[in-house]
Amino acid sequence: MKTLEEKLNLLRETKDTGKLKVMIIGLGSVGTYLLDYILSSANEQLEVCVVGRSMDKMISDVNIVKVASMIRGQNRSKITVEADVDLNDINAIADCLNKNQPDIIVNSSRAYSGLKYGSISWNNIRAYGIWAPLAIKYTKNIMEAYEIAGSKAIVINTSYSDAVIPWLKSAGKAYPDFGSGNINHLIPRIKFAVAKKYDIKDYWNIDVTYAVSHFHDVVISKEGHTEGVEQLIHIEYGGKAIDSNLDDIFLNCKIPMPVDAKRNMMNASSNFEIIKAIFDVVWKGSKVKLHSPGVFGEVGGYPVILDGTDDTIHAYIDESYFCLDSMRMKNRESIYLDGIENIEDGTLYYTKELIEKVKKVFHADLISSVRFNDIEKTADFLIKEVIEPALKA
């Protein structure tokens, strides 16, 4: 598998073709919102291939997005649809990749569709890490197919990338280049909170550099505090650092949000931000800072720089304010609270606290560690012993 830098530079070599093909795997709410955002960019250089199982559903969903964007005068992108692709069938995925040759792949599929896992876990056990085997279930199949197809596409994963991407990397498997969402969802809240405190009108010019995992995205967004964990964050405006009472900032990050599929506007926007950044860096020679979970196969979320200002594109974790080791330690501290103690040699280890909570609340015996070869079995266990009983209760 090629590195992110190598993939970006290969894309630059082919930019004279004038087209960048994005493949969206899974057209649920995330995929549909993302398709709408891509069309809303009115970018003739972007092509989209939508992949899923039900042709009728996908055609219907694609048509509403196409017509809506045309009404706005924005539809400029070619769209193709690939149906009957079973994400349990690795060879079928590989054939689809070979046929379409995407430049960017966005995996927005879900092993248990139509459910926000956090609606079950947060109020009951205050941890999301329990769902890692479900989050990785289709991602691992897509990445195995990716290897079979010899793809050089940049891959974006949408589900719990804080753990999913490093889990794949630790097992010696091909892994996505970026995760979308999670830490990325917290950055705008922080900007809004700082702007409110200091009466900053152009809040989009507030700069945030942050390293933290999924748990703190949730606890800060929902409850406005950090669970007593000091945060690794730098905030500045107009080139000057903002030294503020972070407790006040985080408290004001607690803003009302829907709990249904509308929340996926944020995840889809995170995907769009990454796609736009890739386009700007490769095609326009820009330099961009993003926040991404699982980037470079690291546990948790990190600030990352994509720099296309030189002849060679560079991609790296931003250490302007914090060293990589300190960011790794902070993310490990944060993700422990999400129920994950470690990810090593292809095995994910749950915390003893999570195992006890699952036993007490769901009356299920969660195993302490999940080997890579046991992912399917554990995912089935979570559906049958945790999700389905919780939905019936």
Side-chain angles (χ1 to χ4, degrees):
M1 174 179 163
K2 293 187 178 297
T3 66
L4 174 57
E5 281 192 350
E6 289 171 332
K7 294 176 187 179
L8 288 166
N9 283 291
L10 283 171
L11 269 185
R12 174 168 280 182
E13 291 176 9
T14 62
K15 74 173 185 176
D16 290 340
T17 63
K19 297 294 182 181
L20 186 71
K21 182 180 283 189
V22 180
M23 175 178 282
I24 302 173
I25 300 179
L27 200 64
S29 56
V30 172
T32 303
Y33 282 131
L34 176 58
L35 178 62
D36 185 43
Y37 300 157
I38 290 173
L39 294 191
S40 294
S41 69
N43 189 337
E44 296 179 44
Q45 292 177 290
L46 292 178
E47 295 184 1
V48 186
C49 176
V50 179
V51 177
R53 297 194 65 176
S54 171
M55 176 63 84
D56 289 344
K57 179 184 182 302
M58 287 196 298
I59 290 294
S60 177
D61 289 345
V62 166
N63 282 342
I64 189 66
V65 174
K66 286 172 64 176
V67 171
S69 64
M70 184 65 82
I71 292 169
R72 299 191 301 268
Q74 297 171 322
N75 190 336
R76 301 287 187 276
S77 300
K78 177 183 176 182
I79 304 174
T80 55
V81 177
E82 288 284 341
D84 301 320
V85 180
D86 184 351
L87 297 185
N88 291 303
D89 187 339
I90 293 168
N91 289 324
I93 304 168
D95 290 343
C96 182
L97 294 176
N98 270 321
K99 176 183 176 182
N100 291 281
Q101 296 293 312
D103 299 304
I104 299 172
I105 299 169
V106 179
N107 170 31
S108 64
S109 63
R110 291 179 68 81
Y112 196 99
S113 60
L115 173 70
K116 296 293 289 182
Y117 302 145
S119 65
I120 293 176
S121 62
W122 183 254
N123 291 332
N124 289 299
I125 58 177
R126 290 178 66 79
Y128 195 94
I130 182 177
W131 309 119
L134 277 171
I136 199 175
K137 178 179 167 67
Y138 286 153
T139 310
K140 69 179 181 62
N141 291 349
I142 291 168
M143 295 313 300
E144 185 172 342
Y146 179 96
E147 287 282 85
I148 292 170
S151 179
K152 300 178 181 64
I154 295 169
V155 184
I156 306 169
N157 185 61
T158 64
S159 184
Y160 203 52
S161 297
D162 301 76
V164 164
I165 299 179
W167 196 353
L168 283 162
K169 184 178 182 180
S170 78
K173 307 294 184 180
Y175 54 92
D177 301 282
F178 293 100
S180 68
N182 301 355
I183 184 175
N184 179 277
H185 297 168
L186 194 49
I187 302 301
R189 293 172 181 262
I190 292 169
K191 291 185 179 183
F192 291 144
V194 171
K196 179 180 179 181
K197 183 177 179 65
Y198 293 98
D199 193 27
I200 297 173
K201 305 301 183 186
D202 55 335
Y203 47 83
W204 51 90
N205 286 321
I206 296 169
D207 184 71
V208 179
T209 305
Y210 198 14
V212 78
S213 87
H214 175 271
F215 176 83
H216 279 95
D217 163 45
V218 177
V219 75
I220 293 170
S221 298
K222 284 183 174 292
E223 301 176 10
H225 63 86
T226 67
E227 203 82 349
V229 177
E230 185 178 350
Q231 299 297 287
L232 210 58
I233 185 169
H234 177 86
I235 307 170
E236 65 177 50
Y237 173 72
K240 296 181 179 179
I242 293 178
D243 295 318
S244 180
N245 183 336
L246 289 176
D247 289 343
D248 290 343
I249 298 299
F250 291 132
L251 180 61
N252 282 296
C253 287
K254 180 186 175 183
I255 57 177
M257 286 279 188
V259 296
D260 59 11
K262 290 190 290 292
R263 286 185 61 85
N264 287 328
M265 288 183 184
M266 294 188 297
N267 202 323
S269 296
S270 301
N271 283 286
F272 180 76
E273 180 191 32
I274 296 168
I275 293 167
K276 184 179 184 302
I278 292 169
F279 183 88
D280 288 349
V281 167
V282 172
W283 262 253
K284 298 180 180 179
S286 302
K287 181 178 181 180
V288 178
K289 180 168 73 175
L290 302 166
H291 284 82
S292 173
V295 67
F296 301 111
E298 296 284 349
V299 173
Y302 297 81
V304 58
I305 301 293
L306 305 181
D307 187 353
T309 57
D310 294 330
D311 291 338
T312 300
I313 298 173
H314 299 285
Y316 54 91
I317 290 175
D318 184 4
E319 296 184 74
S320 300
Y321 305 105
F322 319 111
C323 70
L324 181 56
D325 283 344
S326 66
M327 288 188 273
R328 284 171 170 161
M329 289 177 62
K330 184 56 63 176
N331 271 294
R332 295 278 182 169
E333 184 180 4
S334 177
I335 206 168
Y336 188 96
L337 296 174
D338 228 11
I340 295 177
E341 181 174 7
N342 198 13
I343 301 168
E344 187 177 33
D345 297 329
T347 300
L348 180 140
Y349 296 87
Y350 289 125
T351 64
K352 65 182 188 304
E353 291 90 345
L354 178 64
I355 294 169
E356 291 169 358
K357 288 177 183 178
V358 171
K359 179 66 174 178
K360 180 179 179 181
V361 175
F362 298 119
H363 312 293
D365 294 311
L366 188 66
I367 59 176
S368 61
S369 59
V370 184
R371 295 175 300 177
F372 196 81
N373 291 337
D374 292 334
I375 287 171
E376 297 279 352
K377 181 173 67 176
T378 309
D380 290 342
F381 167 86
L382 290 170
I383 291 171
K384 294 175 182 177
E385 302 297 327
V386 179
I387 290 178
E388 291 179 349
L391 292 177
K392 291 176 183 177

